[in-house]
Amino acid sequence: MENVLPPADELVLVDRELAQLDARRSQLLARRAWLLQVLRAAAVPQAAPTPAWGPAAPRPVADTTPPSAQNVLLTLGGVLLTIAAIAFTLVSWGSMGIGGRAAVLGLVTSAALAAPVVLLRRGLVSTAESVGALGLVLTVLDAYALHRVALPGTDGVAYTAGATAVLAGAWAAYGAALGGRLRIPLPVAVVAAQLPLPLAAVAADAGAYALGWAMLATAAADAALLLWGKPRSVRVTAAVGLCATGSWALLTGGWFSLTDPVPAVGLLVAGGALALFFGWRTSAVTVFGAVVAALAAVAAVGGVLRSALPEAWIVPGYVACGLALAAVLRTGLPRPVKQGALGTGAGVLGLGVLWAVPPAAALLLDSAVRTTPVWSGPDMPALPEYPATAPLVLLAATAALAPLRRTWARCAAVLLAWTTVLSLPVSLDLSHSLRLTVLLATAAAGAALACRPQWLTGDLPEPAAAPAVGDGPAAAQGEAAGGGYRPAAGTAPGTTPGMTGPQGQTPASGTSPGSEPGMTGQQGLTPGGTPPAGTAPEGAFGPAAGATPDGGFGPAAGAAPAGAFGPPTWPGWAGARIPAAARATVAPAAALAWCGFGAALASALGAVLSGLDTRAGTFTSLGILLALFAGVAALGERRVRATAACLAVAAAGGLVLAGARAAQLDDPRTAVWLLVVPTAAVGVGARLRRHPLALPVELSGAAVALLAIGLAAGRPASLALVLALCGVLAAAVAAVRPEGGRTAGWTAAVLFVLATWVRLAASDVTTPEAYTLPVTLPALAVGVLRRHRDPEASSWTAYGPGLSATLVPSLIAAWSDASWGRPLLLGVGALAVTLLGARYRLQAPLVLGGTVLALVALHELAPYVVQVVGALPRWLPPALAGLLLLAVGATYEQRLRDARRLREKLGRMH
């Protein structure tokens, strides 16, 4: 059933929605203005009544508000009193007896702690805060004074641990006794509570392990305060303490898992359990708590395995622990906990893969940093002592990702399998020939996957394009298949769905039949200012339609069930679910084809580099790669064919170049033989004609031709031959491919001209006309054809370039030539060009020929003019110049008319 509105009706609907939005915006702006007016009126103090005897004096403007000024004064006073108390305790303490000291400190501390009670009753909260803070500082000074006077022989760290415990309890009781009306005592008590257990462990010289347990116990207390503490300031302080002490404990356990793993198990397990419990009880950090717990578990178990396994098996042991975390998918734990555990396992697996990659990279790049000449034998292998267990890690990662029915996972599995195979020769220390065989085999496997990616995409869902707005049921089907459109839950039949994505929002949930779709989110208010009917009680921050009760990603209303992605194929990692927003937008076949082709290209590069060690290896690798890339170009997935065709041409060029080197040919002769590849490319392009591969093949052949030109540059005669042959090839392309004839034709002309110039230069020809006439004659012929096809074409476009190519260089040469032959021939030629331009009313020949003829005549008459001027009296030239100016001035208007007529005549020419 189709319920797409006609464009006119849809336009009316959109205009109506925009009008409603404008009306609602006006209402909100008016309400905002009224609220601002009310707030300003409340902030301005009431003006005092004006006395009867005259106007009131203007009041000075205050720089600060009264509360802020009061806080500054109280804070400053408290700081000064604290400094005075410290100075009294440290400096003046010794001048009083034991009774006087105790009496002074007790009296001052009691007064400072009792004063806030009276101040709070009078409503002086800020003053009470300042005095209460002073009282807390005095209690610290009391503890210090007690240690100095009564317990001087007590260990300082042990006494500090006990004192902080007593102070934490006293401050907590003091804050609770005041009903929490003072903000300082309770957070300060939490800060003091962080110290007793760690200081006690230090005082007992129990070691770093016991200190870690003390930190963990403190972290557990902080977690309890964070979960059940009432004042927000206490929870914030406890959160900071939890992060600090918990991190210390877990880092201590992680360090001991590397050195003494068995005792560290208890600390890591306890820390992980605390993180998991806290995350479970706090939804905001559930994933983070699960990550911490999973890391602690991996560190604990992996540390034990580390102590029991050989060195080569340490990393695989940790990787096995990371893979074991996939077992949480088969438990009843909340989804955020599963996500955290799976993320941790993926991270551990990724680190293991990074550890296992160097052998594969060494196989690919070892020959790139060779220290011996080409064809001189294999060089020393890299990474000779790398652990042989690296391929096992890569194999485990491949096995973990391969069952996932996701395009990205399948592509990653292909690349990991390719890396696994490449790592075997280095890990097993195989010979050079076997390494080359592995490289060529992986290149062949990648090429096969590029040709037939359907081998690995049978169980992968194909992405569907997002349907257009208003497709009705088709839109819901598109969402089920991975599209981006979904009508809102509760849209009644017959209503027109709204716009989704950046252009709009889905209709509000619960839209009544026949009504127009509204806007949800910040704009989803009805004209009356209330949320749309059917909106969840949570408002804008509640779970979206289709969200699961635990806040995870569940199927939206109208979306496909979980089976749309395919059920998990084996227990463990394959059970992970991915939200609809993360669905693939690239066809699986194309993605896998590019993965296989990329692997084949990397292996091919490694095979070429490794094959340079021996002559047989070079020819074998290049020949096989030529066949592979030609096969991909003919049979591969359509998106990789063009690149494969270019690489096949490059492999052919490398094969010819290697053959020339094997025959000990010099560079010029190698360049001539190398033109076999562009010739074959032109033949293939002619055979393909309008096929999409024709142009890539020809361009690749042109690149090989450029290499040939570069090789022949050292010998001009050979360079001229190579340029001429390249021109023939370009002319052949222009002849057999009409759609590309213009570009190829111009290229052929340029190459022929360059070949002629190089040949002339090699023959020591310095006459400029020998260089310019080969350009002028074809250019004039092209101009004649252009004018024949388009009589309205300008003569400057048709004949200007050709005539300028000869006339201008010849004129420059004539001015520096003392003989009469070149000026005479140039003058005759310029005269002929001028007469032809006048005869056929062509502007370019007339202007160019006339200008050159005049300049040649001036050049020939210049010596005689100089002689005549030298024979005349010195006063005669100024006199003649004056007479000329008078004559021109007298006939100025006539000269203007003559110039205007000449310009008009030239303008009427082409």
Side-chain angles (χ1 to χ4, degrees), residues 325-358:
L325 292 175
V328 299
L329 291 174
R330 306 182 64 86
T331 65
L333 295 175
R335 179 171 297 174
V337 175
K338 296 180 181 180
Q339 291 175 348
L342 290 178
T344 303
V348 173
L349 183 61
L351 293 176
V353 169
L354 291 179
W355 172 83
V357 161

Side-chain angles (χ1 to χ4, degrees), residues 791-879:
E792 299 297 328
S794 172
S795 62
W796 288 102
T797 304
Y799 306 118
L803 293 175
S804 301
T806 292
L807 292 178
V808 174
S810 297
L811 178 63
I812 295 174
W815 271 73
S816 59
D817 193 351
S819 63
W820 57 273
R822 177 177 281 110
L824 177 60
L825 294 176
L826 180 59
V828 172
L831 178 61
V833 171
T834 304
L835 294 177
L836 289 174
R839 169 66 180 79
Y840 293 103
R841 300 174 59 82
L842 299 175
Q843 189 179 108
L846 180 61
V847 173
L848 290 175
T851 302
V852 172
L853 182 60
L855 292 176
V856 170
L858 178 61
H859 174 265
E860 295 302 314
L861 294 176
Y864 302 101
V865 173
V866 171
Q867 293 178 3
V868 171
V869 171
L872 293 176
R874 294 183 179 274
W875 55 267
L876 186 57

Side-chain angles (χ1 to χ4, degrees), residues 472-498:
Q477 297 173 4
E479 169 66 18
Y485 175 83
R486 174 178 62 84
T491 304
T495 60
T496 303

